[in-house]
Amino acid sequence: MILQRLSSLAERLAGAIVAFLAAALFCAICGTAHATEPVKISRDDTALDLTATTEIYANQGEAFQVPTAAGADGIRRRIEVRASSPNHQGDWAVFALANVSEEQLERVIVAPHFRLVNSKIFWPDLGSQRIIAITPSEGFALDRQPSDEADVFRITINPGSVITFVAELSSPDLPQIYLWEPNAYKDTVNAFTLYRGIVLGIAGLLAVFLTILFVVKGTSMLPATAALAWAVLGYVCVDFGFLGKLISITSSDQRVWRACAEVALASSLVIFLFTYLNLNRWHAHLGYVTLAWVLGLALLFGVAIYDPSIAAGIARISLALTATAGLLLIVYLGFNRYDRAILLVPAWVLILVWLFGAWMTITGKLDNDIIQPALGGGLVLIVLLIGFTVMQHAFSGGAFQQGLFSDLERRSLALTGSGDTVWDWDVARDRVVTTPDISHRLGLSPGTMHGPARNWLPRLHPDDRDRFRATLDVLLEHRRGRLNHEFRIRAEDGHFHWLAIRARPVLGSDGEIIRCVGTVVDITEQKNSIERLLHDALHDNLTGLPNRQVFLDRLQSVLTLAPGGDLVRPTVMVIDIDRYKLVNDALGVAAGDNILIALTRRLRRLLKPQDTLARLSGDLFGLILVSERDPVKVADFADAVSKAITVPINFANREIILTASIGLASWVDQQENAAGLMNDAELAMYRAKRAGGNRVEPFSPSLRSFGTDRLQIETDLRRAVERKELSMVYQPIIRLEDAEVAGFEALMRWEHPKRGSIPPSEFIPIAETSDLIGPLGMFALEQATGDLVSWQHHTGELPLFVSINLSSVQLLNNDLYDDIRALLAKTHCDPSRIKLELTESMVMENPEQARLVLAKLRGTGLGLALDDFGTGYSSISYLTRFPFDTIKLDKSLVRDESDKKAVLLRSVISMARELDMKVVAEGIESEEDAVELAKMGCTYGQSFLFGPPMSAESVLRLLKERFPLTKRA
């Protein structure tokens, strides 16, 4: 008996285990869920929110098994539901209801297709069919009630029964599910339908009314406002479900329409803000930003077809950004007293409040059923307020506008007849018209300059754009005064024309400017003339560099900053081009100007922005060096300037080599002024000139006395010829083979009445830097030839010659040849008895010009000697290119006793003899040297060994003593 009971118990246990395993396996395959707690309903409950008590099961497959809620007997049963639609994705919802009353209850289950509450900002839920079918745990599947806005199912619950409902979902999102008493639900739907109808009617009337106003008035604000009204109407139609009554749309189509409505609302708000505030008048870039913004939103219409959630999310973000940007613009323009911005404040505050409420709704912070239709009504209220604001501008001054326009038109015709260009700006429409069309004068297509005032901004000079815009804004802001403005505008050829606008505003009845009419005149020629006068007053006409006055002014400004520390320690350089006047006289003024321009470009390349280069006079330049303070770097910069000037210049197939004398003075004394510092630099420059040029001379205080002496010497030298203070002395030149006098070198002497004898090394450089060298040179030629003729007259025809030194100024003078011919004809002097001496440096200044002049002089029979051979470049090519017949060896070459110099001396003398040239050795110190030179083949010797320089009378006595058989006077 016990065994039988144990066996029976084991069989039951095994069966239970098998049943449990089968159930577990079935649940694993088909899906299962826990039992739900039922929601108790009574007769007095008209609406219950089942959203919180409804359990959602996603991705459970086509078959779903769930335990039921415990019934009245306390037993929980299990039901299995299979999908009834191929569109089912395996998402299920479960809830349970318990009728605690003693009567049968009729109810409807409602799941809205779209609910703005908690729809989210990014990838929002734009609605769809929520419930495909509902299966109760007792009875048959529920019947669907017809509705375009929600999934509605009717149920009947018996007294005391507990029913579990399994809903087959089309998506896992179920934003809300309600249990309504049928009549209460019907009354609620009817109430909302009435409200929606009223809101739709007002929105439609606003859109039509604003469109009619646009057709009648035509101002730019009205179409933008009408577009906003139509966008709001479209949004309300979609949100209130009115669109589904007009056309047949599915739930998926409804998502596309809703996204497009939100994109249209965002786009129209951007366009309205831009147009109403006339942002293009404030800055052209605002127009470009708005255009890009609107184009981006327009692309969202295409995106909405493929993914409505993305399009709607971006549109919602755009609405927030537009509201923020609008707030900033209204605040900024309001503080600038822009009336439109001030009048828009109430409407924009309402927009911000609406957006705040919408944000709280879509994020779930507000979740009642009234908020969604309230937001739709708020949009209509916003459009209504904006419409009133826009109409105030559209009709302001309208009664008088036509009459004033006719009067202005008559005045415009009168001005056109006078030849002036009428400038007419219709402020209300933001349209500029010029009569006749100024576009022709600028080389543009007809009508290019007509249209909004912003069209003028891109063609204005960059420095004039902000001023032009500010002038118009001030005129509109003050609503009085006159427009008197000058600006530059670019023509089609790229040149800028100066235009002057003279206009006055015309006010409407509300005090706003409705028009601005006047004349526009091309004043380019007058402006160019003024600019030329101002530029010429401060700059050099040739090089464009600042002149002396500007140079001193800038130097004084720099010196004002110098005592503040070591950061500013200016250095002034005065640069004078050596022998520039000779080049200018030889090649012409045009060549000299081109050379100065070329030198200016070279010097500019060496400067930094803080440095200044100026042309002080002719070939004199000034330089303020601020970028360098270290004395070593200043010296290097001065050397760089000198090297830049010595680079050869090619002009007319000629190579011109110039040098410069540079005076340098650095700021060391806090009491130094600009004029004093520049004077110090000039003194240093004159010292460099006196030393032969082509050098940099720093200033030292001792030069100030030199400068004073130099000016006095130059003044006295001008009068020396008239006072017969100048004279000529002659140093003998001896023929080395027989020690006889062969000729003399003419040397100039100045016997100053106060200072005594002044050597040529002191006054000749001063004469070369002024215009005195020419008269002194002619004096030397006249005196020497006259003395030679006098000697021949008293001694007979002796084989003597006189060597006369030429300066570079004389050599490059085109009149030298004619002057010498006239002198020879006047004195009847034999040209072969005159020998002209030139140094290598003189020939190098302009080799081609020197060759031409020397060839002509040689053709007259004059002798030519190359002086100081062995000290300069000593180029052998000079001996072949130029018609020299004599070379004079410098004393440094003659006196050197080294073996190398001796070899070189023999080579030079031998070469000269091969070229049939005579050689004169200077500085012979002993008779042994003279004998040795004679053995080498040297022709002549000249030094104090053979005699010092002597006067013409002493030469005559010497000749009579050396040649006693000659003719006596």
Side-chain angles (χ1 to χ4, degrees), residues 709-717 750 755 762 766:
D709 294 343
R710 183 187 184 283
L711 293 176
Q712 186 62 45
I713 290 174
E714 182 177 338
T715 302
D716 294 344
L717 188 58
W750 182 14
R755 300 180 56 180
E762 185 173 345
I766 296 177

Side-chain angles (χ1 to χ4, degrees), residues 630-646:
D630 185 14
V632 176
K633 292 184 177 180
V634 172
D636 293 341
F637 181 86
D639 291 338
V641 170
S642 179
K643 292 177 181 178
I645 294 175
T646 56

Side-chain angles (χ1 to χ4, degrees), residues 576-589:
D576 185 80
I577 310 302
D578 297 331
R579 294 176 291 278
Y580 171 76
K581 188 175 184 299
L582 297 180
V583 178
N584 207 19
D585 294 340
L587 301 180
V589 177

Side-chain angles (χ1 to χ4, degrees), residues 320-593:
L321 293 177
T322 305
T324 305
L327 177 63
L328 297 177
L329 289 170
I330 290 172
V331 171
Y332 173 75
L333 298 178
F335 278 109
N336 284 277
R337 302 178 64 184
Y338 187 41
D339 289 345
R340 290 191 182 185
I342 297 173
L343 290 175
L344 192 60
V345 169
W348 211 259
V349 169
L350 187 58
I351 289 175
L352 293 175
V353 172
W354 185 89
L355 284 173
F356 180 73
W359 171 75
M360 294 186 68
T361 301
I362 61 179
T363 55
K365 293 178 174 59
L366 289 177
D367 59 355
N368 58 71
D369 294 335
I370 302 176
I371 186 63
Q372 183 171 336
L375 289 174
L379 279 177
V380 178
L381 182 60
I382 291 172
V383 174
L384 183 62
L385 185 56
I386 288 176
F388 285 139
T389 305
V390 170
M391 283 189 291
Q392 182 178 0
H393 283 281
F395 288 99
S396 60
F400 303 96
Q401 188 173 5
Q402 185 62 35
L404 284 173
F405 176 73
S406 300
D407 184 44
L408 290 175
E409 187 178 33
R410 287 192 296 271
R411 296 182 183 180
S412 175
L413 292 174
L415 289 173
T416 303
S418 67
D420 293 338
T421 299
V422 178
W423 186 80
D424 182 10
W425 180 27
D426 186 347
V427 178
R429 297 188 179 185
D430 191 17
R431 178 173 176 79
V432 175
V433 176
T434 56
T435 308
D437 190 359
I438 200 172
S439 304
H440 298 288
R441 185 174 300 175
L442 300 176
L444 304 173
S445 302
T448 302
M449 302 306 296
H450 291 174
R454 67 177 181 273
N455 290 353
W456 288 54
L457 292 178
R459 290 198 167 270
L460 293 184
H461 193 281
D463 296 339
D464 297 339
R465 290 174 186 168
D466 293 338
R467 192 163 51 91
F468 180 82
R469 187 188 301 109
T471 302
L472 297 183
D473 292 341
V474 169
L475 182 69
L476 297 179
E477 177 183 346
H478 291 281
R479 307 183 191 89
R480 57 188 174 84
R482 293 177 180 270
L483 180 62
N484 189 350
H485 185 66
E486 297 177 354
F487 57 93
R488 288 160 289 182
I489 192 167
R490 188 181 71 255
E492 186 66 17
D493 58 2
H495 292 87
F496 282 94
H497 289 241
W498 275 98
L499 299 182
I501 290 180
R502 307 288 185 269
R504 61 176 301 171
V506 180
L507 303 181
S509 59
D510 60 346
E512 293 286 343
I513 296 178
I514 60 174
R515 219 171 192 87
C516 192
V517 184
T519 59
V520 56
V521 182
D522 191 332
I523 57 171
T524 305
E525 293 185 3
Q526 297 92 313
K527 279 289 184 179
N528 290 341
S529 299
I530 294 173
E531 289 180 1
R532 280 195 298 269
L533 290 175
L534 293 176
H535 185 274
D536 293 346
L538 302 175
H539 294 80
D540 174 53
N541 291 335
L542 177 63
T543 61
L545 296 175
N547 58 17
R548 178 183 287 267
Q549 189 61 39
V550 176
F551 181 82
L552 288 173
D553 183 69
R554 292 186 183 178
L555 180 57
Q556 188 62 51
S557 300
V558 174
L559 293 179
T560 304
L561 301 175
D566 294 334
L567 295 178
V568 179
R569 297 184 63 85
T571 298
V572 177
M573 297 183 186
V574 176
I575 306 165
D576 185 80
I577 310 302
D578 297 331
R579 294 176 291 278
Y580 171 76
K581 188 175 184 299
L582 297 180
V583 178
N584 207 19
D585 294 340
L587 301 180
V589 177
D593 291 346

Side-chain angles (χ1 to χ4, degrees), residues 686-814:
Y686 288 128
R687 177 64 178 269
K689 278 280 188 187
R690 185 183 181 189
N694 191 22
R695 60 182 296 165
V696 178
E697 186 71 29
F699 171 77
S700 61
S702 61
L703 294 180
R704 288 175 179 161
S705 59
F706 163 74
T708 305
D709 294 343
R710 183 187 184 283
L711 293 176
Q712 186 62 45
I713 290 174
E714 182 177 338
T715 302
D716 294 344
L717 188 58
R718 292 183 182 277
R719 302 175 183 176
V721 178
E722 302 173 1
R723 296 176 179 177
K724 297 183 179 180
E725 297 173 2
L726 296 175
S727 61
M728 300 299 297
V729 295
Y730 304 93
Q731 186 174 22
I733 299 175
I734 304 300
R735 190 182 301 109
L736 293 179
E737 64 177 356
D738 56 6
E740 286 294 338
V741 177
F744 297 89
E745 180 179 2
L747 303 172
M748 188 177 294
R749 292 291 183 267
W750 182 14
E751 194 67 26
H752 194 278
K754 295 181 179 180
R755 300 180 56 180
S757 179
I758 300 178
S761 60
E762 185 173 345
F763 69 83
I764 290 299
I766 296 177
E768 288 182 341
T769 58
S770 62
D771 56 352
L772 296 175
I773 191 62
L776 292 184
M778 288 307 300
F779 168 78
L781 285 170
E782 291 177 359
Q783 189 68 34
T785 54
D787 289 341
L788 177 60
V789 171
S790 175
W791 297 336
Q792 290 179 342
H793 177 73
H794 289 87
T795 61
E797 295 295 330
L798 294 177
L800 297 174
F801 63 87
V802 175
S803 294
I804 306 171
N805 291 284
L806 281 182
S807 70
S808 58
V809 177
Q810 291 175 283
L811 180 62
L812 298 178
N813 189 353
N814 294 326

